[in-house]
Amino acid sequence: ARTRSTGGGGRGSGRPPAGGRARTTASRTGTPTSPRPAGSRPGAKGRGPAGKGKGARSKKQRRNRRLKIAGGLLAGMLVLLGVFVGVVYASTEVPSPDSITNAQTTVVYYSDGTTEMARLGDENRTNVPLDQVAEGARNAVLAAENRSFYTDPGISFTGIVRATWNNLTGGSTQGGSTITQQYVKNAILRNDDQTFSRKFQELFLAIKLDNNYTKNQILENYLNTIYYGRGAYGIEAAANTFFGVPAAQLTPQQGAVLAVLIRSPSRYDPEVSPEEAQDRWGRVLDAMVEEGWMTAEERAASVYPPALPKSGSSLGIPEGHQGIIVNRVIDELQGKHGYSEQQIRAGGLRIVTTVDKGYQDTAKATVEDVMTGEDPALKQALVAIDPRTGAIRAYYGGATDFDYARAQRQPGSSVKPYVLATALEQGISVTARRDGSSPQTFPDRDAPVRNSGGVSCPACTLKEAITRSLNTTFYGLSYELGPENVRQTILEAADLPEVWDTGQFEGNKTLANAEGGTASSIGIGEYEMRTIDQAHGFATFAAGGVERDPYFVAKVSNSEGTTLLEYGGEAGEQVLDPDVANDVTYALKDVAAFSKRALDGGREVASKTGTQGLNAEDNSDAWMVGYTPSISTAVWMGNDDPNQPIVNARGQIIYGSGLPGAIWQDFMNAVLAGTPKEDLPDEPVIEGDTGEGVPEPTPTPTAAPTSEAPAPVPTPTPVTPTTVPPVTPVFPPDGQGNPNQDQGRENGNNPAGGMPGMPGETEDPPWPGEPQDG
């Protein structure tokens, strides 16, 4: 062993003992001089307790390595995304506002796709610079649509997140769009689709537009582009249309009225929805106060400014029957196919309807011919539907802008086929017999039910009863079947809503009285329906019980010819058993001939008349509805006021087989001329009677012969009505048809209320030499 010299000085007592630093040969060669416990190692300076240092470092290294890998991947993805965004942004071209065509004309065609019905978008537009728009009006638009317009980057991040979440979760589609985004969507993309690809494109264009143009340029183009309603594009045209002043003279209050219209021009028109318009107007003013664009004192003194009334047709919509069709087309595109008002009225669409030009012209000409010399106060409606598809072939809602084809009026006896269908579903055949005596009383009604002229048939089959339109039979049958069951049949056949969603009875239960109850009088037409509903319901019978929704729009394409929508109707739903539809059609085959409204050439047709009585002497509504397998047509006639009686030019009351029957007959003959005749059922399918039938009348035998020859077989003779004395016939005027009197409603939704016990639905008086109908 060696010792190191300390050089004479030293550490004194701190010097290690001799041999303290000596090493043996074994220690230098790595051989331990003494055993070490398993798993232990000498402690290392700063490493903590023995046995832990190396293991801790290994786990941390693995964790760090994973984090580095994940971070690298994320960084790589971000780099790729940045490159992608940069490339897309660089390649996105924003057209100059001067090169953008703000609106294109939309054309509506008849079913041939070439004959124009209307042109929408004859622009009422005058572009003005921003400094010619009153500052208060500009601020009102910003308050309504985009308060942060001058500070945002052209897009709304919160709106994007909200819209994305709703789209992912299936919630309502929301745009959350800024003014810049709206301008891009309406002026550049011309696309309202709530899709990620469209929104993605909109975002890039909005950002680049915001970078390439000043905020004032964007706002100016937006104000000159947006649609305000009543055919007015741009704020200058809107100011003149609604207030008769240029945009430079708009007050803040007037500007707020226009700002409200941007969201929905039709809904917030002051003349259409004054309460909703004023409510939103007040919120716009409140927002202006919050932004410092109006003082609280000015807000408190603000009064809703009166707007000018609507004048003439807007956006090229024609007047009269064609304009009614165009409005129905617009409603269908918005409600059923999701098109926006901006797209329809200014998107350059090419819309092909289902309406046949020949059918429509015939409908108009027929109404005018039949009604020549009649009271102009009488209103008419005609709807013709193809039962095989649901396509509306003719739609005459009247000569004015009011759509009488959607007016809710009492249908009278034209609902009796639905009662018969309900009976057939319950196993009661058309050959079953019911008591058609007149008058009769029923447990659910105090006043008696009567047939027209007191006609009585104690044991008529249901086919005979519907041909003669016996009120007592069908009131009693409705009572027997259950009024709610009859109601359900009508709802399904005509696809009526449970509660009216439009019209004067909006919010009320369909086919029910004001209290929501449905009585047996549903079987004789007490509760309101529309002409479109009757054409629809009878089309279900014609289609073998398959219900198909009526529709107007067959095809939509853009101005370049690209097809955007093609619709041929739905497959339909089997709401009635085919055998039921067969037997209803069989039962209705004789009605047209019985009412002197048979079609030319002996063409088979199923039909039903209907007349709604106002009181004991007058009628308020008259109907004729009928179908072949290829066309179902309903005709209605009445006054604006259902309390006023309907009479013809001779002062005589109008029945379903009268003027409405003449219109129906002439129309059907004209549109079916030259087409193949279509067969209707020659016999019923459903047999038996599970209900409360009456026996067949016993034939009266003839007297026995005096000779020894075999007695002849007794010949059945018709049962002579004996309940009431015969009524002296009243000769009808030419073309009035044969009688069919039905019982009217009693105190239902009709404001007139009806007169209990009085005959309601009535038909023409009998023709000479013929039995009198019920």
Side-chain angles (χ1 to χ4, degrees):
R2 291 181 182 176
T3 60
R4 188 176 1 178
S5 172
T6 62
R11 300 179 182 176
S13 61
R15 181 176 180 177
R21 295 189 57 150
R23 295 183 182 177
T24 65
T25 301
S27 67
R28 284 196 300 269
T29 61
T31 303
T33 58
S34 62
R36 185 180 301 150
S40 68
R41 59 168 292 164
K45 182 178 180 180
R47 294 186 181 178
K52 294 185 180 180
K54 185 176 180 180
R57 184 170 60 248
S58 177
K59 291 181 181 179
K60 183 175 181 180
Q61 287 175 341
R62 286 196 296 270
R63 183 171 64 252
N64 289 340
R65 188 161 48 247
R66 287 194 295 268
L67 290 175
K68 288 179 182 179
I69 293 172
L73 291 174
L74 179 60
M77 292 175 64
L78 290 175
V79 170
L80 291 176
L81 179 61
V83 172
F84 173 75
V85 170
V87 171
V88 174
Y89 182 85
S91 62
T92 299
E93 295 184 1
V94 179
S96 167
D98 295 334
S99 68
I100 296 174
T101 302
N102 289 318
Q104 300 182 65
T105 300
T106 290
V107 184
V108 181
Y109 297 98
Y110 284 97
S111 59
D112 58 10
T114 57
T115 306
E116 291 187 12
M117 183 184 301
R119 297 180 72 87
L120 310 180
D122 293 333
E123 296 179 7
N124 176 17
R125 182 198 304 276
T126 302
N127 291 342
V128 293
L130 190 62
D131 60 6
Q132 291 185 23
V133 180
E135 183 178 5
R138 280 182 274 160
N139 290 336
V141 172
L142 295 177
E145 295 298 316
N146 187 187
R147 300 191 204 180
S148 62
F149 171 74
Y150 279 99
T151 58
D152 65 39
I155 61 175
S156 169
F157 292 103
T158 57
I160 294 169
V161 171
R162 184 172 60 252
T164 303
W165 174 254
N166 278 301
N167 290 338
L168 289 173
T169 58
S172 60
T173 54
Q174 298 181 20
S177 298
T178 64
I179 279 177
T180 307
Q181 288 176 264
Q182 290 183 47
Y183 176 70
V184 168
K185 178 177 64 177
N186 294 327
I188 300 176
L189 294 178
R190 300 181 184 278
N191 189 344
D192 268 344
D193 292 345
Q194 294 294 330
T195 61
F196 287 108
S197 60
R198 202 276 299 165
K199 293 294 290 184
F200 194 76
Q201 190 179 13
E202 175 187 303
L203 294 180
F204 277 101
L205 283 169
I207 294 172
K208 199 159 188 177
L209 186 72
D210 193 77
N211 290 335
N212 292 350
Y213 297 92
T214 68
K215 289 290 188 179
N216 283 345
Q217 285 179 302
I218 296 172
L219 182 60
E220 177 181 308
N221 292 321
Y222 173 82
L223 293 175
N224 284 320
T225 301
I226 205 69
Y227 177 62
Y228 290 85
R230 299 191 186 182
Y233 288 89
I235 196 166
E236 177 73 6
N240 279 280
T241 299
F242 285 87
F243 299 109
V245 299
Q249 297 179 15
L250 286 169
T251 66
Q253 291 75 17
Q254 291 172 332
V257 172
L258 300 183
V260 166
L261 292 168
I262 294 174
R263 186 68 56 88
S264 180
S266 296
R267 178 180 178 183
Y268 293 116
D269 189 298
E271 193 170 304
V272 175
S273 305
E275 292 183 0
E276 285 188 89
Q278 292 186 35
D279 176 71
R280 183 162 171 77
W281 172 82
R283 283 183 279 161
V284 170
L285 294 186
D286 292 338
M288 293 177 69
V289 173
E290 293 175 11
E291 295 297 325
W293 297 329
M294 175 182 284
T295 66
E297 291 74 16
E298 290 173 332
R299 169 66 181 95
S302 296
V303 177
Y304 192 84
L308 297 174
K310 287 184 176 181
S311 60
S313 60
S314 62
L315 285 172
I317 295 178
E319 297 180 353
H321 68 109
Q322 288 180 313
I324 291 173
I325 295 173
V326 173
N327 282 318
R328 296 281 77 82
V329 168
I330 292 173
D331 288 346
E332 187 171 306
L333 284 171
Q334 289 180 308
K336 186 172 185 176
H337 300 295
Y339 283 77
S340 70
E341 193 167 8
Q342 181 88 6
Q343 284 178 291
I344 296 168
R345 296 178 182 268
L349 302 179
R350 301 296 181 260
I351 304 167
V352 180
T353 70
T354 61
V355 179
D356 184 284
K357 180 66 162 58
Y359 281 43
Q360 188 66 22
D361 288 348
T362 298
K364 179 177 180 291
T366 300
V367 170
E368 291 175 348
D369 290 345
V370 172
M371 298 306 295
T372 299
E374 299 293 338
D375 186 355
L378 289 171
K379 309 301 180 184
Q380 307 82 34
L382 182 154
V383 178
I385 296 175
D386 184 345
R388 299 164 298 190
T389 63
I392 296 175
R393 310 298 285 164
Y395 192 90
Y396 183 84
T400 65
D401 291 338
F402 185 83
D403 188 355
Y404 287 95
R406 294 175 65 84
Q408 295 153 326
R409 302 298 288 254
Q410 293 168 285
S413 284
S414 63
V415 300
K416 289 177 179 176
Y418 304 109
V419 184
L420 182 59
T422 309
L424 289 162
E425 288 178 329
Q426 296 189 18
I428 303 173
S429 71
V430 298
T431 57
R433 297 180 182 273
R434 290 295 183 273
D435 185 3
S437 301
S438 177
Q440 285 189 53
T441 58
F442 296 91
D444 65 341
R445 176 187 175 103
D446 295 332
V449 179
R450 305 176 187 277
N451 295 329
S452 175
V455 172
S456 186
C457 184
C460 274
T461 65
L462 295 184
K463 184 179 188 302
E464 294 169 341
I466 202 166
T467 302
R468 302 176 67 176
S469 200
L470 301 179
N471 298 321
T472 54
T473 298
F474 282 90
Y475 188 100
L477 192 58
S478 296
Y479 178 79
E480 176 185 341
L481 299 170
E484 280 295 335
N485 292 326
V486 176
R487 176 179 180 271
Q488 191 61 36
T489 298
I490 301 175
L491 292 181
E492 292 178 352
D495 193 29
L496 287 172
E498 184 68 25
V499 175
W500 284 114
D501 54 9
T502 186
Q504 61 177 326
F505 299 118
E506 184 176 357
N508 290 355
K509 183 179 177 181
T510 309
L511 298 175
N513 59 27
E515 290 73 37
T518 301
S520 302
S521 50
I522 189 174
I524 51 177
E526 175 175 349
Y527 307 115
E528 288 78 3
M529 296 180 70
R530 304 168 300 183
T531 309
I532 179 68
D533 300 328
Q534 285 294 66
H536 183 181
F538 277 54
T540 299
F541 293 133
V546 177
E547 182 273 323
R548 297 181 174 92
D549 288 343
Y551 67 99
F552 283 98
V553 179
K555 183 179 180 180
V556 179
S557 56
N558 61 21
S559 56
E560 287 76 34
T562 302
T563 299
L564 306 177
L565 168 70
E566 198 155 12
Y567 185 74
E570 299 174 356
E573 180 181 358
Q574 189 80 47
V575 297
L576 297 175
D577 187 280
D579 291 347
V580 170
N582 176 91
D583 287 14
V584 169
T585 301
Y586 166 75
L588 298 178
K589 282 178 61 176
D590 297 335
V591 174
F594 191 80
S595 300
K596 299 299 181 184
R597 294 301 175 195
L599 300 186
D600 291 345
R603 185 185 295 271
E604 293 185 333
V605 64
S607 63
K608 186 68 191 79
T609 56
T611 311
Q612 183 61 40
L614 178 61
N615 51 46
E617 299 177 355
D618 301 315
N619 296 330
S620 61
D621 301 87
W623 301 71
M624 183 81 181
V625 191
Y627 59 88
T628 67
S630 60
I631 190 76
S632 171
T633 302
V635 176
W636 165 85
M637 185 176 295
N639 287 323
D640 283 328
D641 184 357
N643 296 319
Q644 294 298 317
I646 51 175
V647 295
N648 61 22
R650 302 185 184 187
Q652 298 166 320
I653 57 178
I654 297 173
Y655 303 92
S657 58
L659 294 176
I663 294 172
W664 177 87
Q665 183 182 43
D666 290 354
F667 174 82
M668 293 288 279
N669 281 331
V671 300
L672 292 173
T675 64
K677 293 182 179 179
E678 299 164 295
D679 292 331
L680 298 184
D682 293 324
E683 59 183 18
V685 177
I686 298 173
E687 299 179 354
D689 182 1
T690 62
E692 303 169 2
V694 295
E696 182 178 359
T698 303
T700 302
T702 57
T706 56
S707 65
E708 295 182 0
V713 177
T715 302
T717 57
V719 176
T720 303
T722 57
T723 304
V724 294
V727 178
T728 303
V730 179
F731 292 84
D734 293 341
Q736 277 292 94
N738 214 7
N740 263 340
Q741 180 174 9
D742 307 330
Q743 183 70 25
R745 69 184 296 174
E746 53 157 334
N747 298 324
N749 285 334
N750 186 358
M755 295 184 65
M758 295 298 184
E761 206 278 302
T762 53
E763 294 299 337
D764 295 337
W767 285 70
E770 295 188 5
Q772 189 169 357
D773 300 346

PDB file of all heavy atoms in Angstrom, residues 638-657:
ATOM      1  N   GLY A 638    -119.948  28.676 -54.398  1.00  0.00           N
ATOM      2  CA  GLY A 638    -120.559  29.316 -53.240  1.00  0.00           C
ATOM      3  C   GLY A 638    -120.268  30.805 -53.246  1.00  0.00           C
ATOM      4  O   GLY A 638    -119.645  31.334 -54.173  1.00  0.00           O
ATOM      5  N   ASN A 639    -120.728  31.490 -52.209  1.00  0.00           N
ATOM      6  CA  ASN A 639    -120.448  32.905 -52.033  1.00  0.00           C
ATOM      7  C   ASN A 639    -119.305  33.088 -51.043  1.00  0.00           C
ATOM      8  O   ASN A 639    -118.947  32.167 -50.301  1.00  0.00           O
ATOM      9  CB  ASN A 639    -121.684  33.639 -51.504  1.00  0.00           C
ATOM     10  CG  ASN A 639    -122.754  33.803 -52.560  1.00  0.00           C
ATOM     11  OD1 ASN A 639    -122.448  34.029 -53.728  1.00  0.00           O
ATOM     12  ND2 ASN A 639    -124.015  33.663 -52.168  1.00  0.00           N
ATOM     13  N   ASP A 640    -118.752  34.294 -50.991  1.00  0.00           N
ATOM     14  CA  ASP A 640    -117.741  34.590 -49.978  1.00  0.00           C
ATOM     15  C   ASP A 640    -118.309  34.406 -48.579  1.00  0.00           C
ATOM     16  O   ASP A 640    -117.631  33.911 -47.681  1.00  0.00           O
ATOM     17  CB  ASP A 640    -117.218  36.019 -50.140  1.00  0.00           C
ATOM     18  CG  ASP A 640    -116.237  36.148 -51.294  1.00  0.00           C
ATOM     19  OD1 ASP A 640    -115.516  35.173 -51.566  1.00  0.00           O
ATOM     20  OD2 ASP A 640    -116.196  37.216 -51.921  1.00  0.00           O
ATOM     21  N   ASP A 641    -119.541  34.807 -48.409  1.00  0.00           N
ATOM     22  CA  ASP A 641    -120.216  34.693 -47.119  1.00  0.00           C
ATOM     23  C   ASP A 641    -121.093  33.449 -47.130  1.00  0.00           C
ATOM     24  O   ASP A 641    -122.075  33.389 -47.864  1.00  0.00           O
ATOM     25  CB  ASP A 641    -121.064  35.935 -46.860  1.00  0.00           C
ATOM     26  CG  ASP A 641    -121.730  35.934 -45.488  1.00  0.00           C
ATOM     27  OD1 ASP A 641    -121.567  34.927 -44.751  1.00  0.00           O
ATOM     28  OD2 ASP A 641    -122.408  36.914 -45.155  1.00  0.00           O
ATOM     29  N   PRO A 642    -120.758  32.428 -46.325  1.00  0.00           N
ATOM     30  CA  PRO A 642    -121.584  31.205 -46.320  1.00  0.00           C
ATOM     31  C   PRO A 642    -122.985  31.424 -45.776  1.00  0.00           C
ATOM     32  O   PRO A 642    -123.822  30.523 -45.863  1.00  0.00           O
ATOM     33  CB  PRO A 642    -120.782  30.246 -45.428  1.00  0.00           C
ATOM     34  CG  PRO A 642    -119.944  31.125 -44.573  1.00  0.00           C
ATOM     35  CD  PRO A 642    -119.620  32.331 -45.396  1.00  0.00           C
ATOM     36  N   ASN A 643    -123.248  32.602 -45.233  1.00  0.00           N
ATOM     37  CA  ASN A 643    -124.598  32.903 -44.752  1.00  0.00           C
ATOM     38  C   ASN A 643    -125.505  33.403 -45.864  1.00  0.00           C
ATOM     39  O   ASN A 643    -126.710  33.585 -45.641  1.00  0.00           O
ATOM     40  CB  ASN A 643    -124.540  33.956 -43.642  1.00  0.00           C
ATOM     41  CG  ASN A 643    -123.798  33.453 -42.425  1.00  0.00           C
ATOM     42  OD1 ASN A 643    -123.954  32.308 -42.032  1.00  0.00           O
ATOM     43  ND2 ASN A 643    -122.978  34.302 -41.835  1.00  0.00           N
ATOM     44  N   GLN A 644    -124.934  33.648 -47.034  1.00  0.00           N
ATOM     45  CA  GLN A 644    -125.731  34.140 -48.150  1.00  0.00           C
ATOM     46  C   GLN A 644    -126.141  32.984 -49.054  1.00  0.00           C
ATOM     47  O   GLN A 644    -125.307  32.146 -49.418  1.00  0.00           O
ATOM     48  CB  GLN A 644    -124.917  35.155 -48.955  1.00  0.00           C
ATOM     49  CG  GLN A 644    -124.596  36.441 -48.205  1.00  0.00           C
ATOM     50  CD  GLN A 644    -125.850  37.203 -47.829  1.00  0.00           C
ATOM     51  OE1 GLN A 644    -126.783  37.342 -48.620  1.00  0.00           O
ATOM     52  NE2 GLN A 644    -125.892  37.683 -46.585  1.00  0.00           N
ATOM     53  N   PRO A 645    -127.407  32.888 -49.436  1.00  0.00           N
ATOM     54  CA  PRO A 645    -127.851  31.792 -50.303  1.00  0.00           C
ATOM     55  C   PRO A 645    -127.273  31.923 -51.709  1.00  0.00           C
ATOM     56  O   PRO A 645    -126.974  33.029 -52.174  1.00  0.00           O
ATOM     57  CB  PRO A 645    -129.369  31.951 -50.308  1.00  0.00           C
ATOM     58  CG  PRO A 645    -129.612  33.392 -49.995  1.00  0.00           C
ATOM     59  CD  PRO A 645    -128.514  33.792 -49.063  1.00  0.00           C
ATOM     60  N   ILE A 646    -127.083  30.783 -52.356  1.00  0.00           N
ATOM     61  CA  ILE A 646    -126.598  30.785 -53.738  1.00  0.00           C
ATOM     62  C   ILE A 646    -127.782  30.519 -54.663  1.00  0.00           C
ATOM     63  O   ILE A 646    -128.502  29.543 -54.515  1.00  0.00           O
ATOM     64  CB  ILE A 646    -125.485  29.735 -53.939  1.00  0.00           C
ATOM     65  CG1 ILE A 646    -125.909  28.352 -53.429  1.00  0.00           C
ATOM     66  CG2 ILE A 646    -124.212  30.164 -53.226  1.00  0.00           C
ATOM     67  CD1 ILE A 646    -124.894  27.247 -53.724  1.00  0.00           C
ATOM     68  N   VAL A 647    -127.972  31.408 -55.618  1.00  0.00           N
ATOM     69  CA  VAL A 647    -129.069  31.289 -56.581  1.00  0.00           C
ATOM     70  C   VAL A 647    -128.526  31.562 -57.968  1.00  0.00           C
ATOM     71  O   VAL A 647    -127.528  32.270 -58.139  1.00  0.00           O
ATOM     72  CB  VAL A 647    -130.212  32.271 -56.258  1.00  0.00           C
ATOM     73  CG1 VAL A 647    -130.865  31.929 -54.932  1.00  0.00           C
ATOM     74  CG2 VAL A 647    -129.714  33.706 -56.256  1.00  0.00           C
ATOM     75  N   ASN A 648    -129.189  31.004 -58.982  1.00  0.00           N
ATOM     76  CA  ASN A 648    -128.745  31.223 -60.349  1.00  0.00           C
ATOM     77  C   ASN A 648    -129.397  32.476 -60.922  1.00  0.00           C
ATOM     78  O   ASN A 648    -130.110  33.209 -60.210  1.00  0.00           O
ATOM     79  CB  ASN A 648    -129.038  29.987 -61.214  1.00  0.00           C
ATOM     80  CG  ASN A 648    -130.528  29.663 -61.271  1.00  0.00           C
ATOM     81  OD1 ASN A 648    -131.386  30.513 -61.041  1.00  0.00           O
ATOM     82  ND2 ASN A 648    -130.832  28.408 -61.570  1.00  0.00           N
ATOM     83  N   ALA A 649    -129.157  32.714 -62.204  1.00  0.00           N
ATOM     84  CA  ALA A 649    -129.644  33.936 -62.840  1.00  0.00           C
ATOM     85  C   ALA A 649    -131.165  34.004 -62.859  1.00  0.00           C
ATOM     86  O   ALA A 649    -131.734  35.098 -62.990  1.00  0.00           O
ATOM     87  CB  ALA A 649    -129.090  34.030 -64.259  1.00  0.00           C
ATOM     88  N   ARG A 650    -131.846  32.864 -62.722  1.00  0.00           N
ATOM     89  CA  ARG A 650    -133.314  32.832 -62.702  1.00  0.00           C
ATOM     90  C   ARG A 650    -133.871  32.947 -61.290  1.00  0.00           C
ATOM     91  O   ARG A 650    -135.077  32.804 -61.088  1.00  0.00           O
ATOM     92  CB  ARG A 650    -133.803  31.545 -63.351  1.00  0.00           C
ATOM     93  CG  ARG A 650    -133.311  31.368 -64.781  1.00  0.00           C
ATOM     94  CD  ARG A 650    -133.906  30.138 -65.428  1.00  0.00           C
ATOM     95  NE  ARG A 650    -133.359  29.920 -66.761  1.00  0.00           N
ATOM     96  CZ  ARG A 650    -133.794  28.994 -67.599  1.00  0.00           C
ATOM     97  NH1 ARG A 650    -134.773  28.171 -67.226  1.00  0.00           N
ATOM     98  NH2 ARG A 650    -133.251  28.858 -68.788  1.00  0.00           N
ATOM     99  N   GLY A 651    -132.970  33.150 -60.333  1.00  0.00           N
ATOM    100  CA  GLY A 651    -133.430  33.283 -58.961  1.00  0.00           C
ATOM    101  C   GLY A 651    -133.700  31.966 -58.281  1.00  0.00           C
ATOM    102  O   GLY A 651    -134.289  31.935 -57.191  1.00  0.00           O
ATOM    103  N   GLN A 652    -133.288  30.858 -58.882  1.00  0.00           N
ATOM    104  CA  GLN A 652    -133.544  29.526 -58.320  1.00  0.00           C
ATOM    105  C   GLN A 652    -132.313  29.057 -57.542  1.00  0.00           C
ATOM    106  O   GLN A 652    -131.171  29.384 -57.887  1.00  0.00           O
ATOM    107  CB  GLN A 652    -133.871  28.535 -59.443  1.00  0.00           C
ATOM    108  CG  GLN A 652    -135.129  28.926 -60.214  1.00  0.00           C
ATOM    109  CD  GLN A 652    -135.246  28.144 -61.515  1.00  0.00           C
ATOM    110  OE1 GLN A 652    -134.250  27.929 -62.189  1.00  0.00           O
ATOM    111  NE2 GLN A 652    -136.453  27.740 -61.856  1.00  0.00           N
ATOM    112  N   ILE A 653    -132.550  28.272 -56.500  1.00  0.00           N
ATOM    113  CA  ILE A 653    -131.440  27.794 -55.690  1.00  0.00           C
ATOM    114  C   ILE A 653    -130.546  26.858 -56.516  1.00  0.00           C
ATOM    115  O   ILE A 653    -131.015  26.152 -57.406  1.00  0.00           O
ATOM    116  CB  ILE A 653    -131.938  27.081 -54.414  1.00  0.00           C
ATOM    117  CG1 ILE A 653    -132.865  25.915 -54.767  1.00  0.00           C
ATOM    118  CG2 ILE A 653    -132.622  28.055 -53.482  1.00  0.00           C
ATOM    119  CD1 ILE A 653    -133.342  25.138 -53.552  1.00  0.00           C
ATOM    120  N   ILE A 654    -129.254  26.882 -56.202  1.00  0.00           N
ATOM    121  CA  ILE A 654    -128.265  26.100 -56.945  1.00  0.00           C
ATOM    122  C   ILE A 654    -127.983  24.799 -56.204  1.00  0.00           C
ATOM    123  O   ILE A 654    -127.765  24.790 -54.994  1.00  0.00           O
ATOM    124  CB  ILE A 654    -126.964  26.898 -57.116  1.00  0.00           C
ATOM    125  CG1 ILE A 654    -127.226  28.150 -57.955  1.00  0.00           C
ATOM    126  CG2 ILE A 654    -125.871  26.047 -57.773  1.00  0.00           C
ATOM    127  CD1 ILE A 654    -126.038  29.088 -58.037  1.00  0.00           C
ATOM    128  N   TYR A 655    -128.006  23.707 -56.968  1.00  0.00           N
ATOM    129  CA  TYR A 655    -127.719  22.385 -56.428  1.00  0.00           C
ATOM    130  C   TYR A 655    -126.414  21.859 -57.015  1.00  0.00           C
ATOM    131  O   TYR A 655    -125.920  22.363 -58.026  1.00  0.00           O
ATOM    132  CB  TYR A 655    -128.856  21.424 -56.752  1.00  0.00           C
ATOM    133  CG  TYR A 655    -130.201  21.873 -56.246  1.00  0.00           C
ATOM    134  CD1 TYR A 655    -131.040  22.635 -57.060  1.00  0.00           C
ATOM    135  CD2 TYR A 655    -130.624  21.546 -54.963  1.00  0.00           C
ATOM    136  CE1 TYR A 655    -132.275  23.053 -56.594  1.00  0.00           C
ATOM    137  CE2 TYR A 655    -131.856  21.970 -54.497  1.00  0.00           C
ATOM    138  CZ  TYR A 655    -132.679  22.728 -55.314  1.00  0.00           C
ATOM    139  OH  TYR A 655    -133.899  23.151 -54.852  1.00  0.00           O
ATOM    140  N   GLY A 656    -125.876  20.801 -56.409  1.00  0.00           N
ATOM    141  CA  GLY A 656    -124.620  20.246 -56.885  1.00  0.00           C
ATOM    142  C   GLY A 656    -124.675  19.787 -58.322  1.00  0.00           C
ATOM    143  O   GLY A 656    -123.707  19.943 -59.073  1.00  0.00           O
ATOM    144  N   SER A 657    -125.802  19.226 -58.718  1.00  0.00           N
ATOM    145  CA  SER A 657    -125.919  18.749 -60.088  1.00  0.00           C
ATOM    146  C   SER A 657    -126.294  19.865 -61.057  1.00  0.00           C
ATOM    147  O   SER A 657    -126.412  19.625 -62.259  1.00  0.00           O
ATOM    148  CB  SER A 657    -126.972  17.636 -60.169  1.00  0.00           C
ATOM    149  OG  SER A 657    -128.222  18.111 -59.692  1.00  0.00           O
TER     150      SER A 657
END
